[in-house]
Amino acid sequence: MQSCCCCYLIPIKTKMERIIKLVLLLCLVAGREGLIGVNYGRVADNLPPAAQVARFLANSTTINRVRLFDSDRATVTAFSHTGIAVTVTVPTDEIPGLTKPYLAQEWVRTNILPHAHSTNIVRVLVGNEVLSTGNRLLITTLVPAMQALHAALVEESLHDRIKISTPHSLGILSNSSPPSAGRFRQGYDVYVIRPLLSFLRMTDSPFMINPYPFFGATEATLDYALFRANEGVVDGETGLVYGNMVDAQLDAVFSALRRMGFDDVDVVIAETGWPSRGEAGQLGADAGTAAEYNRMVMRHVASGVGTPLMPNRTFETYIFALFDEDLKPGPVCERSFGLFRPDLTPAYDIGILKAAANGGGGVRVGRSGLGLRPGSRHECGLITTCPITLMWIQLQLFQVMGIACMRGIDTVGLLIIYGKKVKVSMETG
Protein backbone atom coordinates (compact mmCIF):
# COMPACT_ATOMS: atom_id res chain seq x y z
CA MET A 1 0.00 0.00 0.00
CA GLN A 2 1.42 3.33 -1.03
CA SER A 3 1.29 6.28 1.28
CA CYS A 4 -1.54 8.71 0.86
CA CYS A 5 -2.09 12.30 1.76
CA CYS A 6 -4.42 13.66 4.39
CA CYS A 7 -7.23 15.96 3.37
CA TYR A 8 -8.74 18.68 5.50
CA LEU A 9 -12.01 19.85 3.97
CA ILE A 10 -13.41 23.29 4.73
CA PRO A 11 -15.90 25.48 2.91
CA ILE A 12 -14.60 26.28 -0.55
CA LYS A 13 -15.10 29.90 -1.48
CA THR A 14 -12.62 30.44 -4.28
CA LYS A 15 -11.07 28.72 -7.27
CA MET A 16 -14.16 26.54 -7.74
CA GLU A 17 -13.44 25.82 -11.39
CA ARG A 18 -9.94 24.62 -10.57
CA ILE A 19 -11.22 22.34 -7.82
CA ILE A 20 -13.90 20.92 -10.10
CA LYS A 21 -11.23 20.03 -12.65
CA LEU A 22 -9.18 18.29 -10.02
CA VAL A 23 -12.17 16.35 -8.70
CA LEU A 24 -13.03 15.20 -12.20
CA LEU A 25 -9.45 14.15 -12.68
CA LEU A 26 -9.47 12.27 -9.38
CA CYS A 27 -12.70 10.53 -10.37
CA LEU A 28 -11.01 9.29 -13.51
CA VAL A 29 -7.98 8.06 -11.59
CA ALA A 30 -9.91 6.39 -8.76
CA GLY A 31 -12.59 5.19 -11.14
CA ARG A 32 -11.20 4.25 -14.52
CA GLU A 33 -7.84 3.00 -13.34
CA GLY A 34 -9.23 1.16 -10.37
CA LEU A 35 -12.16 -0.35 -12.22
CA ILE A 36 -10.92 -1.55 -15.61
CA GLY A 37 -9.14 -4.88 -15.85
CA VAL A 38 -8.41 -7.39 -18.59
CA ASN A 39 -8.90 -11.12 -19.03
CA TYR A 40 -5.56 -12.81 -19.73
CA GLY A 41 -6.34 -16.08 -21.49
CA ARG A 42 -3.49 -18.19 -22.83
CA VAL A 43 -5.07 -20.77 -25.14
CA ALA A 44 -2.56 -19.94 -27.86
CA ASP A 45 0.86 -20.96 -29.14
CA ASN A 46 2.22 -17.55 -30.08
CA LEU A 47 2.04 -15.46 -26.91
CA PRO A 48 4.95 -13.65 -25.24
CA PRO A 49 6.28 -14.85 -21.86
CA ALA A 50 4.13 -13.97 -18.88
CA ALA A 51 6.91 -11.89 -17.31
CA GLN A 52 7.07 -9.73 -20.43
CA VAL A 53 3.28 -9.34 -20.43
CA ALA A 54 3.23 -8.33 -16.77
CA ARG A 55 5.95 -5.70 -17.28
CA PHE A 56 4.13 -4.37 -20.32
CA LEU A 57 0.83 -3.99 -18.48
CA ALA A 58 2.48 -2.40 -15.45
CA ASN A 59 4.74 0.00 -17.32
CA SER A 60 2.96 0.78 -20.57
CA THR A 61 -0.80 0.59 -19.95
CA THR A 62 -3.38 1.98 -17.58
CA ILE A 63 -4.66 -1.52 -16.81
CA ASN A 64 -4.09 -2.49 -13.18
CA ARG A 65 -6.34 -5.55 -12.83
CA VAL A 66 -5.87 -8.94 -14.47
CA ARG A 67 -8.03 -12.03 -14.43
CA LEU A 68 -6.30 -15.37 -15.04
CA PHE A 69 -8.20 -18.51 -16.02
CA ASP A 70 -6.02 -20.72 -13.82
CA SER A 71 -3.47 -20.32 -11.04
CA ASP A 72 -0.35 -21.22 -13.02
CA ARG A 73 2.60 -20.55 -10.72
CA ALA A 74 4.87 -18.97 -13.32
CA THR A 75 2.14 -16.64 -14.54
CA VAL A 76 1.10 -15.55 -11.05
CA THR A 77 4.76 -15.02 -10.14
CA ALA A 78 5.21 -12.85 -13.22
CA PHE A 79 2.88 -10.28 -11.66
CA SER A 80 4.81 -10.08 -8.40
CA HIS A 81 5.82 -6.58 -7.30
CA THR A 82 3.87 -4.96 -10.16
CA GLY A 83 0.99 -3.73 -8.00
CA ILE A 84 -1.46 -5.22 -10.47
CA ALA A 85 -4.49 -6.78 -8.77
CA VAL A 86 -4.64 -10.43 -9.83
CA THR A 87 -7.65 -12.73 -9.93
CA VAL A 88 -6.88 -16.45 -10.18
CA THR A 89 -9.26 -19.25 -11.10
CA VAL A 90 -9.92 -22.76 -9.90
CA PRO A 91 -10.46 -24.92 -13.03
CA THR A 92 -14.04 -26.07 -13.26
CA ASP A 93 -13.16 -29.77 -13.19
CA GLU A 94 -11.43 -29.36 -9.81
CA ILE A 95 -14.54 -28.05 -8.05
CA PRO A 96 -15.93 -31.32 -6.63
CA GLY A 97 -12.69 -32.24 -4.87
CA LEU A 98 -12.43 -28.86 -3.17
CA THR A 99 -15.51 -29.49 -1.07
CA LYS A 100 -13.20 -31.47 1.20
CA PRO A 101 -11.64 -29.04 3.70
CA TYR A 102 -8.18 -30.61 3.62
CA LEU A 103 -8.05 -30.40 -0.19
CA ALA A 104 -9.20 -26.77 -0.11
CA GLN A 105 -6.47 -26.04 2.42
CA GLU A 106 -3.93 -27.77 0.22
CA TRP A 107 -5.09 -25.74 -2.81
CA VAL A 108 -4.62 -22.49 -0.89
CA ARG A 109 -1.20 -23.56 0.41
CA THR A 110 -0.09 -24.51 -3.11
CA ASN A 111 -1.62 -21.73 -5.20
CA ILE A 112 -1.98 -18.74 -2.88
CA LEU A 113 0.52 -18.83 -0.02
CA PRO A 114 3.69 -18.88 -2.18
CA HIS A 115 2.57 -15.56 -3.70
CA ALA A 116 0.91 -13.95 -0.69
CA HIS A 117 3.73 -11.48 0.03
CA SER A 118 4.72 -10.66 -3.53
CA THR A 119 1.71 -10.83 -5.86
CA ASN A 120 -1.41 -8.80 -5.22
CA ILE A 121 -3.96 -11.62 -5.44
CA VAL A 122 -7.37 -10.14 -4.67
CA ARG A 123 -9.85 -12.78 -5.79
CA VAL A 124 -10.24 -16.50 -6.41
CA LEU A 125 -12.89 -17.50 -8.94
CA VAL A 126 -14.27 -21.01 -8.61
CA GLY A 127 -14.86 -22.23 -12.15
CA ASN A 128 -16.41 -20.19 -14.95
CA GLU A 129 -20.09 -20.19 -15.92
CA VAL A 130 -20.56 -23.38 -13.92
CA LEU A 131 -24.35 -23.19 -13.82
CA SER A 132 -24.45 -23.08 -17.61
CA THR A 133 -22.67 -26.44 -17.89
CA GLY A 134 -25.77 -28.32 -16.78
CA ASN A 135 -23.44 -30.72 -14.95
CA ARG A 136 -25.25 -31.74 -11.77
CA LEU A 137 -22.09 -32.67 -9.87
CA LEU A 138 -20.37 -29.37 -10.64
CA ILE A 139 -23.47 -27.34 -9.86
CA THR A 140 -24.21 -29.02 -6.52
CA THR A 141 -20.59 -28.80 -5.33
CA LEU A 142 -19.98 -25.19 -6.43
CA VAL A 143 -21.08 -23.40 -3.24
CA PRO A 144 -19.57 -26.01 -0.85
CA ALA A 145 -16.23 -25.64 -2.66
CA MET A 146 -16.42 -21.85 -2.36
CA GLN A 147 -17.18 -22.18 1.34
CA ALA A 148 -14.26 -24.57 1.89
CA LEU A 149 -11.84 -22.27 0.06
CA HIS A 150 -13.01 -19.31 2.10
CA ALA A 151 -12.48 -21.28 5.31
CA ALA A 152 -8.97 -22.13 4.12
CA LEU A 153 -8.27 -18.44 3.52
CA VAL A 154 -9.60 -17.66 7.02
CA GLU A 155 -7.09 -20.11 8.48
CA GLU A 156 -4.30 -18.20 6.75
CA SER A 157 -5.78 -14.80 7.70
CA LEU A 158 -6.14 -13.91 4.02
CA HIS A 159 -9.95 -13.74 3.84
CA ASP A 160 -10.15 -9.96 4.17
CA ARG A 161 -7.75 -9.45 1.29
CA ILE A 162 -8.76 -12.30 -1.05
CA LYS A 163 -12.42 -12.86 -1.91
CA ILE A 164 -14.12 -15.91 -3.41
CA SER A 165 -16.66 -15.70 -6.22
CA THR A 166 -17.69 -17.38 -9.49
CA PRO A 167 -18.69 -15.83 -12.87
CA HIS A 168 -21.98 -16.50 -14.63
CA SER A 169 -23.33 -16.18 -18.14
CA LEU A 170 -26.65 -14.43 -18.74
CA GLY A 171 -28.03 -17.90 -19.31
CA ILE A 172 -28.69 -18.13 -15.57
CA LEU A 173 -31.68 -15.84 -16.15
CA SER A 174 -34.99 -17.31 -17.22
CA ASN A 175 -36.20 -13.86 -18.17
CA SER A 176 -34.27 -10.70 -18.95
CA SER A 177 -36.69 -8.55 -20.95
CA PRO A 178 -37.76 -6.08 -19.86
CA PRO A 179 -34.89 -5.59 -17.40
CA SER A 180 -37.26 -5.17 -14.46
CA ALA A 181 -38.59 -8.69 -15.09
CA GLY A 182 -35.17 -10.31 -14.67
CA ARG A 183 -35.28 -13.51 -12.66
CA PHE A 184 -33.06 -16.54 -12.11
CA ARG A 185 -33.92 -19.93 -13.58
CA GLN A 186 -36.37 -21.91 -11.55
CA GLY A 187 -34.73 -24.61 -9.48
CA TYR A 188 -31.33 -22.96 -9.59
CA ASP A 189 -32.76 -19.92 -7.78
CA VAL A 190 -33.65 -21.75 -4.58
CA TYR A 191 -31.17 -24.61 -4.44
CA VAL A 192 -27.99 -23.01 -5.79
CA ILE A 193 -28.26 -19.26 -6.25
CA ARG A 194 -29.80 -18.42 -2.87
CA PRO A 195 -27.01 -20.22 -0.93
CA LEU A 196 -24.48 -18.65 -3.30
CA LEU A 197 -25.81 -15.15 -2.70
CA SER A 198 -25.91 -15.73 1.05
CA PHE A 199 -22.23 -16.70 0.89
CA LEU A 200 -21.34 -13.64 -1.21
CA ARG A 201 -23.17 -11.33 1.20
CA MET A 202 -21.53 -12.92 4.25
CA THR A 203 -18.02 -12.63 2.76
CA ASP A 204 -18.52 -9.23 1.11
CA SER A 205 -17.81 -10.72 -2.31
CA PRO A 206 -19.36 -9.65 -5.63
CA PHE A 207 -21.80 -11.39 -7.95
CA MET A 208 -19.93 -11.71 -11.24
CA ILE A 209 -21.56 -11.71 -14.66
CA ASN A 210 -20.36 -12.04 -18.29
CA PRO A 211 -22.48 -9.76 -20.51
CA TYR A 212 -21.72 -9.87 -24.26
CA PRO A 213 -23.88 -7.53 -26.36
CA PHE A 214 -22.03 -8.82 -29.44
CA PHE A 215 -23.86 -12.13 -29.24
CA GLY A 216 -27.24 -10.44 -28.86
CA ALA A 217 -26.82 -7.76 -31.52
CA THR A 218 -28.82 -7.72 -34.75
CA GLU A 219 -28.94 -5.26 -37.64
CA ALA A 220 -31.78 -3.53 -35.83
CA THR A 221 -30.03 -3.37 -32.44
CA LEU A 222 -26.38 -2.82 -33.40
CA ASP A 223 -26.43 0.88 -32.46
CA TYR A 224 -28.05 -0.05 -29.14
CA ALA A 225 -25.32 -2.64 -28.48
CA LEU A 226 -22.54 -0.16 -29.33
CA PHE A 227 -23.68 2.80 -27.19
CA ARG A 228 -24.47 4.78 -30.34
CA ALA A 229 -27.35 7.22 -30.59
CA ASN A 230 -30.60 5.28 -30.84
CA GLU A 231 -34.27 5.58 -29.96
CA GLY A 232 -33.79 3.62 -26.75
CA VAL A 233 -35.83 0.77 -25.32
CA VAL A 234 -38.55 1.48 -22.79
CA ASP A 235 -39.18 -0.91 -19.91
CA GLY A 236 -42.95 -1.06 -19.91
CA GLU A 237 -43.09 -1.95 -16.21
CA THR A 238 -40.94 0.89 -14.88
CA GLY A 239 -41.07 3.44 -17.69
CA LEU A 240 -37.28 3.60 -17.63
CA VAL A 241 -35.54 4.14 -20.96
CA TYR A 242 -32.45 2.11 -21.87
CA GLY A 243 -29.93 3.62 -24.26
CA ASN A 244 -27.60 0.64 -24.48
CA MET A 245 -27.70 -3.13 -24.16
CA VAL A 246 -25.14 -3.39 -21.35
CA ASP A 247 -27.35 -1.37 -19.00
CA ALA A 248 -30.33 -3.55 -19.86
CA GLN A 249 -28.36 -6.73 -19.20
CA LEU A 250 -26.96 -5.46 -15.91
CA ASP A 251 -30.36 -4.31 -14.72
CA ALA A 252 -31.90 -7.67 -15.58
CA VAL A 253 -29.32 -9.25 -13.27
CA PHE A 254 -29.98 -6.62 -10.62
CA SER A 255 -33.74 -7.28 -10.83
CA ALA A 256 -33.12 -10.98 -10.32
CA LEU A 257 -30.95 -10.21 -7.29
CA ARG A 258 -33.52 -7.83 -5.89
CA ARG A 259 -36.33 -10.33 -6.41
CA MET A 260 -34.46 -12.71 -4.11
CA GLY A 261 -33.65 -10.02 -1.55
CA PHE A 262 -29.96 -9.62 -2.41
CA ASP A 263 -29.84 -6.25 -4.13
CA ASP A 264 -27.09 -5.21 -1.69
CA VAL A 265 -24.62 -7.67 -3.26
CA ASP A 266 -22.20 -5.85 -5.55
CA VAL A 267 -22.16 -6.65 -9.28
CA VAL A 268 -18.89 -7.04 -11.19
CA ILE A 269 -18.51 -7.52 -14.95
CA ALA A 270 -16.14 -10.47 -15.17
CA GLU A 271 -16.04 -10.51 -18.97
CA THR A 272 -17.22 -8.31 -21.79
CA GLY A 273 -15.71 -7.59 -25.16
CA TRP A 274 -16.12 -7.56 -28.92
CA PRO A 275 -14.25 -9.58 -31.56
CA SER A 276 -12.17 -7.91 -34.27
CA ARG A 277 -12.72 -10.75 -36.75
CA GLY A 278 -15.46 -13.22 -37.55
CA GLU A 279 -16.90 -15.31 -40.30
CA ALA A 280 -17.35 -13.66 -43.70
CA GLY A 281 -20.11 -11.10 -43.42
CA GLN A 282 -20.62 -11.57 -39.68
CA LEU A 283 -22.30 -8.50 -38.25
CA GLY A 284 -19.95 -6.09 -36.49
CA ALA A 285 -16.99 -8.47 -36.35
CA ASP A 286 -14.25 -6.03 -37.31
CA ALA A 287 -11.51 -4.06 -35.57
CA GLY A 288 -13.22 -0.68 -35.84
CA THR A 289 -16.39 -1.92 -34.19
CA ALA A 290 -14.43 -3.80 -31.52
CA ALA A 291 -12.51 -0.62 -30.69
CA GLU A 292 -15.74 1.36 -30.55
CA TYR A 293 -17.45 -1.04 -28.15
CA ASN A 294 -14.51 -1.45 -25.81
CA ARG A 295 -13.85 2.29 -25.64
CA MET A 296 -17.48 3.03 -24.90
CA VAL A 297 -18.03 0.29 -22.34
CA MET A 298 -14.89 1.34 -20.46
CA ARG A 299 -16.01 4.94 -20.43
CA HIS A 300 -19.54 4.05 -19.40
CA VAL A 301 -18.81 1.71 -16.48
CA ALA A 302 -16.30 4.14 -15.01
CA SER A 303 -18.37 7.28 -15.55
CA GLY A 304 -20.41 7.04 -12.38
CA VAL A 305 -23.67 7.37 -14.34
CA GLY A 306 -24.63 3.78 -13.55
CA THR A 307 -27.75 2.14 -15.01
CA PRO A 308 -31.43 3.11 -14.80
CA LEU A 309 -31.96 0.75 -11.84
CA MET A 310 -28.46 1.26 -10.37
CA PRO A 311 -27.78 4.97 -10.85
CA ASN A 312 -24.77 6.94 -9.69
CA ARG A 313 -22.36 4.04 -9.48
CA THR A 314 -19.42 2.46 -11.25
CA PHE A 315 -18.73 -1.17 -12.15
CA GLU A 316 -15.48 -3.06 -11.84
CA THR A 317 -15.09 -4.49 -15.35
CA TYR A 318 -12.74 -6.91 -17.09
CA ILE A 319 -12.38 -6.58 -20.86
CA PHE A 320 -12.13 -9.82 -22.79
CA ALA A 321 -9.39 -10.31 -23.78
CA LEU A 322 -5.74 -9.37 -23.68
CA PHE A 323 -4.80 -11.47 -26.73
CA ASP A 324 -6.39 -13.44 -29.53
CA GLU A 325 -6.25 -17.14 -28.66
CA ASP A 326 -5.53 -19.11 -31.82
CA LEU A 327 -5.93 -22.56 -30.24
CA LYS A 328 -9.49 -22.02 -29.04
CA PRO A 329 -12.11 -24.22 -30.70
CA GLY A 330 -15.21 -22.84 -32.33
CA PRO A 331 -15.88 -20.04 -34.81
CA VAL A 332 -13.36 -17.38 -35.80
CA CYS A 333 -14.88 -14.74 -33.52
CA GLU A 334 -14.22 -16.87 -30.43
CA ARG A 335 -10.48 -16.64 -31.13
CA SER A 336 -10.46 -12.94 -31.99
CA PHE A 337 -11.21 -10.84 -28.92
CA GLY A 338 -7.61 -9.69 -28.32
CA LEU A 339 -6.70 -6.09 -27.52
CA PHE A 340 -3.04 -6.73 -28.34
CA ARG A 341 -1.03 -8.72 -30.84
CA PRO A 342 1.62 -11.21 -29.66
CA ASP A 343 4.30 -8.54 -30.18
CA LEU A 344 2.38 -6.34 -27.71
CA THR A 345 1.35 -3.78 -30.30
CA PRO A 346 -2.34 -2.82 -30.09
CA ALA A 347 -4.79 -4.61 -32.37
CA TYR A 348 -6.69 -1.30 -32.25
CA ASP A 349 -6.59 1.78 -30.08
CA ILE A 350 -8.89 2.06 -27.07
CA GLY A 351 -6.76 4.56 -25.14
CA ILE A 352 -5.20 2.25 -22.55
CA LEU A 353 -1.57 2.80 -23.52
CA LYS A 354 -0.08 5.37 -21.20
CA ALA A 355 1.33 7.47 -24.02
CA ALA A 356 -2.07 7.44 -25.77
CA ALA A 357 -3.92 8.26 -22.57
CA ASN A 358 -1.67 11.29 -22.14
CA GLY A 359 -1.96 12.49 -25.72
CA GLY A 360 -4.27 15.00 -27.27
CA GLY A 361 -4.79 16.97 -24.09
CA GLY A 362 -6.04 13.92 -22.25
CA VAL A 363 -5.01 12.66 -18.86
CA ARG A 364 -2.55 9.93 -18.14
CA VAL A 365 -3.87 7.61 -15.47
CA GLY A 366 -0.94 5.40 -14.69
CA ARG A 367 -0.26 3.52 -11.49
CA SER A 368 2.18 6.17 -10.33
CA GLY A 369 -0.74 8.40 -9.49
CA LEU A 370 -2.11 11.24 -11.56
CA GLY A 371 0.68 10.98 -14.09
CA LEU A 372 1.16 14.76 -13.95
CA ARG A 373 4.48 16.49 -13.74
CA PRO A 374 4.87 19.48 -11.42
CA GLY A 375 4.37 22.61 -13.44
CA SER A 376 2.58 20.87 -16.33
CA ARG A 377 -0.72 22.10 -17.69
CA HIS A 378 -3.64 19.75 -18.25
CA GLU A 379 -7.12 20.59 -19.43
CA CYS A 380 -9.69 18.27 -17.92
CA GLY A 381 -12.67 19.48 -19.85
CA LEU A 382 -13.04 16.18 -21.70
CA ILE A 383 -13.84 14.31 -18.50
CA THR A 384 -17.46 15.31 -18.19
CA THR A 385 -19.24 12.08 -17.26
CA CYS A 386 -18.67 12.06 -13.48
CA PRO A 387 -22.01 12.73 -11.72
CA ILE A 388 -20.84 15.81 -9.88
CA THR A 389 -22.86 18.91 -9.22
CA LEU A 390 -21.73 22.08 -7.55
CA MET A 391 -24.16 21.49 -4.68
CA TRP A 392 -22.20 18.50 -3.43
CA ILE A 393 -18.73 19.10 -4.84
CA GLN A 394 -17.13 18.96 -1.40
CA LEU A 395 -18.69 15.61 -0.52
CA GLN A 396 -17.58 14.16 -3.85
CA LEU A 397 -14.06 15.44 -3.30
CA PHE A 398 -13.91 13.82 0.13
CA GLN A 399 -15.27 10.52 -1.17
CA VAL A 400 -12.95 10.38 -4.17
CA MET A 401 -9.90 11.10 -2.06
CA GLY A 402 -10.97 8.35 0.33
CA ILE A 403 -11.40 5.89 -2.52
CA ALA A 404 -8.00 6.80 -3.95
CA CYS A 405 -6.34 6.26 -0.58
CA MET A 406 -8.11 2.95 0.10
CA ARG A 407 -7.15 1.61 -3.31
CA GLY A 408 -3.51 2.38 -2.76
CA ILE A 409 -3.33 4.96 -5.55
CA ASP A 410 -0.24 7.10 -5.22
CA THR A 411 -1.70 10.45 -4.29
CA VAL A 412 1.50 12.46 -4.66
CA GLY A 413 0.59 15.63 -6.44
CA LEU A 414 -2.97 15.69 -5.18
CA LEU A 415 -4.40 18.68 -3.42
CA ILE A 416 -4.49 19.58 0.22
CA ILE A 417 -7.21 22.02 1.10
CA TYR A 418 -6.62 24.09 4.16
CA GLY A 419 -7.63 27.49 5.46
CA LYS A 420 -9.00 29.53 2.58
CA LYS A 421 -6.30 28.40 0.22
CA VAL A 422 -6.00 25.56 -2.28
CA LYS A 423 -2.46 24.32 -2.44
CA VAL A 424 -1.61 22.14 -5.44
CA SER A 425 1.78 20.76 -6.41
CA MET A 426 1.07 21.25 -10.09
CA GLU A 427 -0.38 23.94 -12.31
CA THR A 428 -3.96 23.04 -13.23
CA GLY A 429 -4.89 25.53 -15.85
Side-chain angles (χ1 to χ4, degrees), residues 97-109 145 148-150 152:
L98 293 177
T99 60
K100 299 178 176 64
Y102 76 93
L103 289 179
Q105 293 162 3
E106 181 180 337
W107 193 93
V108 167
R109 285 195 295 267
L149 285 167
H150 174 73

Side-chain angles (χ1 to χ4, degrees), residues 209-231:
I209 194 71
N210 298 341
Y212 279 96
F214 170 76
F215 293 110
T218 65
E219 288 277 3
T221 62
L222 186 61
D223 288 346
Y224 181 60
L226 291 169
F227 297 86
R228 294 172 181 167
N230 64 87
E231 294 181 354

Side-chain angles (χ1 to χ4, degrees), residues 28-147:
L28 181 65
V29 173
R32 176 179 170 182
E33 178 183 335
L35 292 170
I36 304 301
V38 67
N39 286 270
Y40 178 14
R42 306 190 311 283
V43 186
D45 59 5
N46 59 353
L47 301 183
Q52 184 181 357
V53 172
R55 288 195 302 271
F56 169 72
L57 290 176
N59 298 329
S60 302
T61 79
T62 61
I63 296 296
N64 73 350
R65 291 179 177 270
V66 169
R67 175 193 172 195
L68 306 178
F69 289 87
D70 55 24
S71 57
D72 175 68
R73 180 175 292 231
T75 306
V76 177
T77 300
F79 286 92
S80 63
H81 308 295
T82 62
I84 293 174
V86 176
T87 293
V88 299
T89 302
V90 175
T92 299
D93 59 1
E94 294 182 16
I95 291 174
L98 293 177
T99 60
K100 299 178 176 64
Y102 76 93
L103 289 179
Q105 293 162 3
E106 181 180 337
W107 193 93
V108 167
R109 285 195 295 267
T110 301
N111 296 282
I112 301 298
L113 286 186
H115 311 287
H117 300 293
S118 56
T119 301
N120 183 25
I121 299 175
V122 297
R123 191 173 290 137
V124 175
L125 301 185
V126 183
N128 185 44
E129 300 187 352
V130 175
L131 301 188
S132 299
T133 66
N135 184 306
R136 182 176 178 82
L137 176 62
L138 295 175
I139 292 170
T140 57
T141 55
L142 174 62
V143 176
M146 295 172 69
Q147 293 168 333

Side-chain angles (χ1 to χ4, degrees), residues 265-383:
V265 174
D266 195 20
V267 176
V268 166
I269 299 176
E271 294 178 27
T272 193
W274 198 282
S276 60
R277 293 184 301 126
E279 308 297 337
Q282 187 170 8
L283 179 68
D286 61 82
T289 307
E292 181 181 6
Y293 175 79
N294 284 322
R295 277 197 304 265
M296 291 304 295
V297 75
M298 288 170 54
R299 181 183 304 173
H300 184 65
V301 298
S303 69
V305 171
T307 72
L309 289 180
M310 295 181 284
N312 304 321
R313 60 168 294 175
T314 56
F315 296 92
E316 181 183 339
T317 298
Y318 292 80
I319 302 298
F320 189 89
L322 189 54
F323 299 109
D324 285 353
E325 296 178 83
D326 64 332
L327 298 182
K328 270 191 169 181
V332 173
C333 67
E334 292 284 358
R335 301 188 289 276
S336 306
F337 280 82
L339 300 176
F340 293 95
R341 303 183 184 95
D343 64 359
L344 298 177
T345 58
Y348 45 81
D349 178 26
I350 60 170
I352 59 174
L353 289 174
K354 285 184 178 176
N358 201 34
V363 182
R364 175 184 171 205
V365 287
R367 250 168 309 280
S368 61
L370 290 178
L372 303 177
R373 297 182 302 277
S376 65
R377 298 178 64 89
H378 290 265
E379 292 299 322
C380 305
L382 79 165
I383 310 168

